[in-house]
Structure formats: structure tokens, C-alpha cells
């Protein structure tokens, strides 16, 4: 029979009684290695590989793997030349296969082969030819490549509609990374967590590699690494800027997608996790045989010593194994049905993430994997909180998003996790996945309503100022329920996903050609305005307007009630040349350009940002712990929050609905709820902020008593050099000219 005829027979004629193609073997599987390893019963907990000394004084490592429906598990050990030895784990306790191997020391590379049925039609995808990464591996050595051998099915099967049902028996071990046994020798006794209150926080989102890859003050060999971020030159910038926390783009071990590798690109952002306990090895300067763990811990210590918290952006909603045509790297081969949400047609995956699969968080073992991982990063790696990518996918029960879901319930009662910072990206791509404002107390949320309103206001695209009023004052319409506070809103204008701040005022349209997807990727809803020219220009008027718009956006963000989040490089004019989806740009487009600080224009922007953050830290009226009431609390009629028209009169109901480009916001320092640590009333200065998005100037009358007798200019974004603005005083009742597209912040006296 010809090869083509054989293929046709396998895919078509050989079928089970119910019409499904039978499991087939492609190629010849090599015989198991001769070398075997002695193994003792060991313990079923903790999961993963744990080095310890046995009861007889013999040092070794205990291995434990949950593999619910498996028929057998082999532990595979690899020496420095890649030679494999195996140990059959014969002990099974509560679906956990386990064993203790004497003589296995830290630095040992390992993986698992899991035996079971191959029946993709029912979701069973066991294939012992594929070496699997331990889901609990705490260090990973080696790169993820995606040759055909790492796929559980025959990837190039001619009839692609059944390719995922045809098993590939070629050994994947030479092509996949290995887990590494790590020694636990750190009690964090010398570490001091900053424990910054939510209301006092200023978050700085950064990429571990991109932040220091071009930093001239960081030694070349440390740039782009955990050690580079811990270097004094990097820490000094964060301290001078005044941020209280760094939010790191994913640092869990991740893999690159095949479609990117074929185009010579990689997943730079890292939202493609495959190891939830392992710091990504590619960011380690010290080595990948377990050294990356210690290097990460030293980075956390250095940041803590500078008063900066560490928040991790975590991706527990999906993994790098994609859908039925994706590779078999870990969970898919351990227990596909136990770890992933499957459709009624169990060959297919439920995809609420847009990445091919969704972890089945309702399953106890999946919930355990996630919560064990979170606790590990807090207790053993020292981190202070987490931002959950596509958090709505984690809050789904069987199908719908459920704020009483097992995941949210477990987090709420966990004595470790309920004490750290929890940030939700409150949506996913499934039906009903948009959940902004719906997460329960303890959680904060990325507030995209804030992002959209501020962008629209400054490009003069809002029909009125109602939306801006809500967003500037803490988004009470979204968060004033169930005991939530204004700091439930993480306010941002830009994030890693989308335009940089400079590109937001330089481009009307995305320019993602470098991604190799014909500019189809990335959102078209940018709410951007190029100020009169698309992209970079030499026109001095356009450039000046763009810089003013940047000052407006940053000033608005840092004066708003809630928790502000900046993106690394926005404070100095970083550009991605119009790419609003630079997830695959591990190059100068995605890295922070520190050379911008040699330009006085961009250095002034950095100075303004630092000054605004310092102003926020000094004034509790700008970082309230409770929502405004808008009611008078004294006989003179002064309220904690008041809104004014350019005529110096308080806004009426009709004013909120009328077309307008100008908004005056008065914040009273006399009416701050709560008391300080000594029990004394909190008092502060009062401020009037005037935001004017119109093209031309506007006359604004400064309100008189009880609001103020006089006003002192603190910030005026119309000025390039801010030291020219502060100190100017105006009497109440004065009509001042506010230039077009500018923010004026005045201290009331």
C-alpha cells in the first residue's frame, strides 16, 4: 500500500464502532533507556520537586505529581549531557503520584512522562513519548522550541481536520526545557516589605527586560535581567520618580507561539505562561540551573529596601499549550480533561481568552495549582501583590462569570492572599465577560472607563463633562458599593497593551506592520489624536501641542482620585512608532529609550511627572480613602467636592448635560474623612483644578468665599518649564485666562 493510501486508511477506514477515528501510532517509539533510578515511596505533599533529607539521613528529592486519570507516571532525570534515566512512580495517593529519589540534589534537571489512554474524542490526550514540564517546577532550564516532535499529535497529518486525533510517538525530550530541583534556603528574615496602603500607591508598569536593556547606568551583562532591575541605577530612577510599586509584566516561565517563531519574532510581553512557579529563565543573568530563583529574590529585596513594592502580572487564565492543535508541554499531557475547560465536543477547548484554551478553575486541582502558586510567590519569593490578566475568566463557574465563584471565594478567605494587593483586569473575551465595577471588596480593578473618558476629553470628543466628573472623583458610580473605596479604581491612560502616551498624541491610527500580520492585529479603538500630523514631524507647533497634551494627560491622571498607574517610559516620551500591539517586539521598539533624557524637552516631562507624584504624596486630599459626599459639613456651606463652570458658579443639573470643554473641580482639605494614626483629624490644603480641552482660551472666574479668598498657581500645563508657573497669585473673583488645551491647578487660601 502506498504512503498516501496508508494515510487515508488510518484517517478514514480504521474507526471505532461509533465512527471516531481509532488511535494510531506514527513512527516507532524508541525503547526506554536502560538506566533506571531507585525510588522510595516518598510523600504526596507538597506537589512538585522538594529537596530534603530523608528519615535515615540520606539527602534526596521528593517528587509528587497530580495526574488524576493517568495510568502511570515516570520521573525522568537528565545529566549534564542530556542522557535520560527513569524512575517509575508506583505510589498513588489521592490521584497524586509520588516518590523519593535518594541522591537527587539541587540543580538536577527533570521531567515527567505520563501514561494513559489516547482518545482525543473524549478529551484524553496522554502520550508518554512527550516529556512534560512539572506544573510545580520552580526553575526551568532550556528554551522552548516547537518542532513537530513536541506536539502530542501528528502536526503535519495531511487531513488537518483530524490531525489532532492522530498520536505522534516521537520523543520530545531533546527539544523541550527541563524542570530544575531548587533548594529552599531563604527565610526572608532580613526583608522589610513596604506595605504601602492602597490609597497612597502609585503603580509603575514595566517589563523586566525592556526597562534596563538600554540603560547606560546598568552594566552590559546585567541589562534586561532581574539583576539589572535591582541595580542602583535602575532603582534610583524609580525612587526619584516617586512610584511606590512596580507592576512587572509576566515573569512566570513562558513560551513563544509557533506563528511568531516562524516569522523570526517572539512573545516579548510573556502572556503565554507554562510554569507558574518558575521565574522566567530568559531574564536571569546568573544562570538557569536554579540561579534565577535567587536572583529574583535579590531583586525583590533591593526594591523593598528602596520602599518599592513588587506586583506581578499573572496569567492563570490560559497556558502556552493553545488549543487542540497546540503543543504538548505540560498540563495537556498530565491530564487534559482535568486542567482545561472542554466543549461538549471534548476534542475542542472552551476559549474565553482568545489564546486557544482556558484553565478550568472550578476543578479543585486547578484551583489548588493557582492558589499554591500565588502563595509561593508571596511567602517564598517575597512579592506584594498580583494583577490578574483576564480575571473574568477566573471568575467563571461552569460557564458564566460568577462573583461567588470558587476562585474568588478561596482568595477571600485565604490568610496569605487576602492580605496582598489584588488587581483584576475585569474582563475576558467570552459572553458576559465585561465586569468593570463588579469585583468584590478586597479587589481593585483596571478602570478602562477612566482611560476612555480621559482620552476622549483631551481630544475634545466627549458630548459633555458628566463622564469626566465621575472619573476624576474616584468613579463612585462603579465602586461605591459593598464597602469598596475609591482606590478600587486603578486609573490609567495607557498600559502595555496599546499606544504609549507619546504615540497617543502622535498617531490617529495603529501602525503594526512590523508584527507581520498586515496591520490586522491590535485594536482600532484607540481614541487617539495626532495633533495635526500622523507620526513624527518637524513642525514646531505640532510638537509643542503634543508635549502640552502629554502634560495634560499626566496631570489629569495624577490629580484624579483612585490609584494612578504609569507605564515605564511614558514619563520621558517613549515611542513605539505607532505600534499599539508591540507584544512581539523584543527590540528597540519595545525597550525603554534612556537616551530621551538627553533631550531637554523630554527631561522636563520627567521632572513634571516627578513633581506631580510628590504633590500627590504630600496632600491627602489627592489620595482620599473614602468617596466624596458633595454635601456641606460646616455652616459656611463649604463642601468636600464642588464643580464649577467658567463663570465661577457651581454647576447645575443642566450644566452637566450641556456641551462643554471646561470643568472646574474644587477639593476641600477641611473635609477629609477618617483620622490619622494618632486619632487626629486629617487636614490639608484645598485645591481648584481647571481642565480646559477647548482649542482656544477660556475666561474662568475664580470662586469666592466660602471656597477661597485667593488662589496660588501650583501647576500650569501651558508652560513648558513649570518653575515659571508656581507662586503666581490671584484674588478670588478674578477672571483669569486659561489657554486652550491646558490644566491649571491652584491652591485655595
Amino acid at each position: 500500500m502506498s504512503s498516501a493510501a496508508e494515510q487515508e486508511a488510518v484517517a478514514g477506514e480504521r474507526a471505532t464502532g461509533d465512527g471516531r477515528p481509532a488511535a494510531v501510532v506514527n513512527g516507532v517509539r524508541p525503547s526506554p533507556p536502560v538506566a533506571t533510578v531507585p525510588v522510595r515511596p516518598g510523600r504526596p505533599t507538597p506537589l512538585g520537586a522538594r529537596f530534603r533529607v530523608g528519615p535515615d539521613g540520606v539527602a534526596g528529592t521528593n517528587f509528587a505529581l497530580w495526574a488524576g486519570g493517568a495510568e502511570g507516571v515516570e520521573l525522568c532525570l537528565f545529566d549534564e549531557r542530556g542522557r535520560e534515566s527513569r524512575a517509575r512512580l508506583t505510589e498513588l495517593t489521592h490521584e497524586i503520584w509520588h516518590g523519593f529519589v535518594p541522591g537527587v540534589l539541587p540543580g538536577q534537571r527533570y521531567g515527567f512522562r505520563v501514561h494513559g489512554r489516547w482518545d482525543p474524542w473524549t478529551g484524553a490526550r496522554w502520550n508518554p513519548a512527550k516529556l512534560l514540564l512539572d506544573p510545580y517546577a520552580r526553575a526551568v532550564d532550556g528554551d522552548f522550541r516547537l518542532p513537530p516532535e513536541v506536539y502530542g499529535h501528528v502536526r503535519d497529518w495531511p487531513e488537518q481536520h483530524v490531525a489532532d486525533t492522530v498520536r505522534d510517538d516521537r520523543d520530545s525530550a531533546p527539544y523541550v526545557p527541563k524542570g530544575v530541583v531548587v533548594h529552599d534556603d531563604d527565610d526572608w528574615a532580613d526583608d522589610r516589605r513596604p506595605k504601602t496602603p492602597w490609597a497612597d500607591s502609585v503603580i509603575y508598569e514595566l517589563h523586566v527586560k525592556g526597562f534596563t536593556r538600554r540603560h547606560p547606568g546598568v552594566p552590559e551583562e546585567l541589562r534586561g535581567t532581574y539583576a539589572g532591575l535591582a541595580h542602583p541605577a535602575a532603582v534610583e530612577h524609580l525612587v526619584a520618580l516617586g512610584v511606590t510599586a512596580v507592576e512587572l509584566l509576566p515573569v512566570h516561565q513562558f513560551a513563544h507561539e509557533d506563528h511568531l517563531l516562524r516569522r523570526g519574532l517572539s512573545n516579548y510581553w510573556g502572556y503565554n505562561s507554562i510554569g507558574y512557579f518558575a521565574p522566567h529563565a530568559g531574564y536571569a543573568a546568573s544562570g538557569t540551573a536554579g540561579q534565577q530563583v535567587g536572583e529574583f529574590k535579590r531583586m525583590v529585596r533591593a526594591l523593598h529596601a528602596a520602599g518599592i513594592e513588587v506586583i506581578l502580572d499573572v496569567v492563570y487564565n490560559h497556558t502556552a499549550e493553545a488549543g487542540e492543535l497546540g503543543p504538548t508541554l505540560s498540563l495537556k499531557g498530565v491530564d487534559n480533561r482535568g486542567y482545561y475547560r472542554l466543549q461538549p465536543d471534548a476534542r475542542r477547548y472552551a476559549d474565553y481568552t482568545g489564546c486557544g484554551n482556558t484553565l478550568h478553575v472550578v476543578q479543585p486541582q486547578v484551583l489548588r495549582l493557582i492558589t499554591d502558586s500565588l502563595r509561593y510567590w508571596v511567602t517564598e519569593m517575597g512579592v506584594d501583590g498580583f494583577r490578574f490578566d483576564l480575571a473574568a475568566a477566573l471568575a467563571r463557574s461552569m460557564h458564566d462569570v460568577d462573583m461567588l465563584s470558587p476562585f474568588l471565594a478561596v482568595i477571600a478567605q485565604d490568610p496569605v492572599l487576602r492580605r496582598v494587593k489584588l488587581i483584576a483586569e475585569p474582563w475576558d473575551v467570552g459572553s458576559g465577560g465585561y465586569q468593570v465595577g463588579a469585583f468584590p471588596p478586597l479587589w481593585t480593578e483596571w478602570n478602562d472607563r477612566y482611560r476612555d473618558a480621559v482620552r476622549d476629553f483631551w481630544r475634545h470628543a466627549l458630548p459633555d463633562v458628566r463622564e469626566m466628573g465621575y472619573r476624576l472623583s474616584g468613579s463612585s458610580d462603579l465602586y461605591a458599593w459593598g464597602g469598596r473605596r475609591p482606590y478600587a479604581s486603578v486609573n490609567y491612560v495607557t498600559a502595555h497593551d496599546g499606544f504609549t502616551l507619546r504615540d497617543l498624541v502622535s498617531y490617529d491610527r495603529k501602525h503594526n506592520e512590523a508584527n507581520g500580520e498586515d496591520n490586522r492585529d491590535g485594536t482600532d479603538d484607540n481614541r487617539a489624536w495626532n495633533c495635526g500630523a500622523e507620526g513624527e514631524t518637524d513642525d514646531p507647533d505640532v510638537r509643542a501641542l503634543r508635549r502640552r497634551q502629554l502634560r495634560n494627560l499626566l496631570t489629569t491622571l495624577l490629580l484624579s482620585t483612585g490609584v494612578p498607574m504609569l507605564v515605564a517610559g511614558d514619563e520621558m516620551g517613549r515611542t513605539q512608532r505607532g505600534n499599539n500591539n508591540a507584544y512581539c517586539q523584543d527590540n528597540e521598539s519595545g525597550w525603554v529609550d534612556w537616551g530621551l533624557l538627553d533631550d531637554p524637552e523630554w527631561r522636563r516631562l520627567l521632572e513634571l511627572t516627578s513633581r506631580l507624584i510628590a504633590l500627590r504624596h504630600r496632600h491627602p486630599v489627592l489620595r482620599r480613602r473614602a468617596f466624596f459626599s458633595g454635601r456641606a459639613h460646616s455652616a459656611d456651606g463649604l463642601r468636600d467636592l464642588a464643580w464649577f463652570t467658567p463663570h465661577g458658579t457651581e454647576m447645575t443639573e443642566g450644566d452637566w448635560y450641556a456641551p462643554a470643554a471646561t470643568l472646574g473641580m474644587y477639593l476641600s482639605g477641611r473635609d477629609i474623612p477618617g483620622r490619622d494614626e494618632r486619632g487626629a483629624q486629617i487636614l490639608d490644603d484645598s485645591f481648584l483644578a481647571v481642565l480646559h480641552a477647548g482649542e482656544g482660551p477660556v475666561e474662568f472666574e475664580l470662586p469666592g468665599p466660602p471656597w477661597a479668598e485667593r488662589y496660588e498657581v501650583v501647576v500650569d500645563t501651558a508652560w513648558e518649564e513649570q518653575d515659571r508657573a508656581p507662586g503666581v497669585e490671584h484674588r478670588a473673583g478674578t477672571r483669569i485666562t486659561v489657554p486652550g488645551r491646558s490644566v491649571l491647578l491652584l491652591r485655595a487660601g
Side-chain angles (χ1 to χ4, degrees), residues 192-272:
R192 295 293 180 269
R193 294 177 184 261
K195 297 182 180 179
T196 307
W198 258 126
D200 300 339
S201 297
V202 178
I203 298 173
Y204 189 74
E205 188 194 45
L206 66 82
H207 189 285
V208 168
K209 181 176 183 179
F211 186 64
T212 62
R213 186 62 185 83
R214 302 178 68 184
H215 198 305
V218 176
E220 178 67 34
E221 66 274 14
L222 300 183
R223 294 178 188 173
T225 68
Y226 304 119
L229 181 54
H231 190 273
V235 176
E236 180 183 356
H237 179 80
L238 301 172
V239 172
L241 189 58
V243 298
T244 68
V246 291
E247 182 176 303
L248 307 181
L249 267 67
V251 296
H252 288 165
Q253 185 69 45
F254 60 85
H256 306 295
E257 294 93 329
D258 180 68
H259 70 91
L260 292 176
L261 295 174
R262 285 188 276 110
R263 296 202 300 270
L265 300 170
S266 61
N267 190 322
Y268 170 59
W269 286 349
Y271 289 89
N272 207 37

Side-chain angles (χ1 to χ4, degrees), residues 62 102 145 189 265 305 324 333 356 375 415 492 504 555 595 623 689 700 738:
N62 191 83
R145 295 175 289 157
L265 300 170
E324 60 271 14
R375 281 188 294 269
Y492 68 104
L504 187 67
T555 302
R623 42 188 174 84
F700 194 98
V738 180

Side-chain angles (χ1 to χ4, degrees), residues 20 32 51 61 304 375 430 441 522 547 585 587 632 655 679 704 716:
R20 295 174 297 168
F51 172 74
T61 299
H304 282 180
R375 281 188 294 269
R547 292 194 300 273
Q585 297 300 318
N587 50 48
D655 291 327
D716 185 348

Side-chain angles (χ1 to χ4, degrees), residues 207-373:
H207 189 285
V208 168
K209 181 176 183 179
F211 186 64
T212 62
R213 186 62 185 83
R214 302 178 68 184
H215 198 305
V218 176
E220 178 67 34
E221 66 274 14
L222 300 183
R223 294 178 188 173
T225 68
Y226 304 119
L229 181 54
H231 190 273
V235 176
E236 180 183 356
H237 179 80
L238 301 172
V239 172
L241 189 58
V243 298
T244 68
V246 291
E247 182 176 303
L248 307 181
L249 267 67
V251 296
H252 288 165
Q253 185 69 45
F254 60 85
H256 306 295
E257 294 93 329
D258 180 68
H259 70 91
L260 292 176
L261 295 174
R262 285 188 276 110
R263 296 202 300 270
L265 300 170
S266 61
N267 190 322
Y268 170 59
W269 286 349
Y271 289 89
N272 207 37
S273 300
I274 196 60
Y276 290 128
F277 292 77
H280 186 65
Y283 299 155
S286 54
T288 60
Q291 299 95 330
Q292 60 266 52
V293 178
E295 185 177 330
F296 184 93
K297 291 179 179 180
R298 290 189 293 274
M299 176 199 72
V300 173
R301 275 190 173 87
L303 291 166
H304 282 180
I308 298 170
E309 294 184 303
V310 178
I311 298 171
L312 302 187
D313 195 335
V314 290
V315 189
Y316 293 113
N317 54 76
H318 76 281
T319 75
E321 293 184 299
E324 60 271 14
L325 297 178
T328 297
L329 304 173
S330 183
L331 305 181
K332 185 180 288 187
V334 173
D335 191 332
N336 186 58
R337 296 179 297 188
Y339 278 110
Y340 293 115
R341 289 181 181 266
L342 303 180
Q343 296 184 22
D345 173 4
R347 275 179 63 193
R348 314 298 182 191
Y349 293 77
D351 184 8
Y352 297 111
T353 67
C355 299
N357 64 55
T358 307
L359 282 175
H360 202 348
V361 181
V362 174
Q363 297 277 22
Q365 65 276 5
V366 181
L367 192 59
R368 179 180 180 182
L369 172 70
I370 294 173
T371 53
D372 282 353
S373 168

Side-chain angles (χ1 to χ4, degrees), residues 353-635:
T353 67
C355 299
N357 64 55
T358 307
L359 282 175
H360 202 348
V361 181
V362 174
Q363 297 277 22
Q365 65 276 5
V366 181
L367 192 59
R368 179 180 180 182
L369 172 70
I370 294 173
T371 53
D372 282 353
S373 168
L374 292 168
R375 281 188 294 269
Y376 171 77
W377 286 96
V378 173
T379 60
E380 298 192 41
M381 301 296 275
V383 307
D384 305 285
F386 305 94
R387 178 266 188 187
F388 292 82
D389 181 67
L390 300 183
L394 301 174
R396 289 184 181 271
S397 291
M398 295 311 296
H399 299 288
D400 296 332
V401 177
D402 179 6
M403 291 304 160
L404 298 175
S405 67
F407 172 75
L408 295 178
V410 166
I411 295 292
Q413 61 78 42
D414 189 283
V416 173
L417 301 180
R418 70 189 182 200
R419 297 179 183 273
V420 302
K421 287 183 166 65
L422 303 171
I423 307 171
E425 182 183 37
W427 52 77
D428 64 20
V429 302
S431 175
Y434 186 76
Q435 295 290 323
V436 172
F439 275 72
L442 290 184
W443 287 82
T444 65
E445 301 175 15
W446 272 24
N447 187 351
D448 67 328
R449 293 274 299 274
Y450 179 94
R451 175 200 65 195
D452 292 350
V454 172
R455 289 186 178 193
D456 282 346
F457 178 80
W458 285 112
R459 67 189 183 109
H460 203 2
L462 287 179
D464 51 52
V465 292
R466 282 177 295 158
E467 187 76 3
M468 273 298 281
Y470 276 123
R471 304 309 146 229
L472 290 169
S473 58
S475 296
S476 60
D477 59 326
L478 299 176
Y479 301 112
W481 63 272
R484 302 189 81 182
R485 300 297 185 93
Y487 47 77
S489 176
V490 174
N491 299 330
Y492 68 104
V493 179
T494 57
H496 66 275
D497 189 3
F499 281 145
T500 66
L501 200 66
R502 177 176 169 182
D503 289 355
L504 187 67
V505 301
S506 303
Y507 296 88
D508 280 352
R509 305 177 303 280
K510 65 184 181 184
H511 295 268
N512 299 355
E513 292 80 7
N515 295 354
E517 300 177 40
D518 297 322
N519 207 34
R520 294 189 303 270
D521 63 303
T523 183
D524 292 313
D525 182 20
N526 295 294
R527 300 170 190 251
W529 178 48
N530 64 21
C531 298
E534 186 73 359
E536 295 302 308
T537 179
D538 294 326
D539 187 317
D541 293 334
V542 172
R543 291 166 62 93
L545 176 56
R546 288 175 177 176
R547 292 194 300 273
R548 180 181 294 193
Q549 288 288 78
L550 291 177
R551 295 192 294 272
N552 292 334
L553 291 164
L554 285 168
T555 302
T556 303
L557 175 64
L558 291 166
L559 294 182
S560 298
T561 300
V563 179
M565 185 185 77
L566 301 163
V567 178
D570 275 356
E571 74 277 17
M572 62 181 86
R574 187 175 78 88
T575 177
Q576 293 174 171
R577 304 294 180 183
N579 192 326
N580 76 349
N581 189 35
Y583 77 105
C584 56
Q585 297 300 318
D586 187 3
N587 50 48
E588 292 186 353
S589 178
W591 305 334
V592 173
D593 180 7
W594 295 92
L596 290 166
L597 293 181
D598 296 331
D599 185 335
E601 293 180 352
W602 300 120
R603 179 167 287 280
R604 283 195 290 265
L605 186 67
L606 170 61
E607 292 168 352
L608 173 64
T609 308
S610 300
R611 189 159 165 267
L612 288 166
I613 293 175
L615 183 75
R616 185 180 183 89
H617 288 323
R618 286 197 305 271
H619 293 286
V621 73
L622 299 177
R623 42 188 174 84
R624 289 172 56 101
R625 288 162 166 75
F627 287 105
F628 295 98
S629 69
R631 296 189 297 270
H633 296 284
S634 58

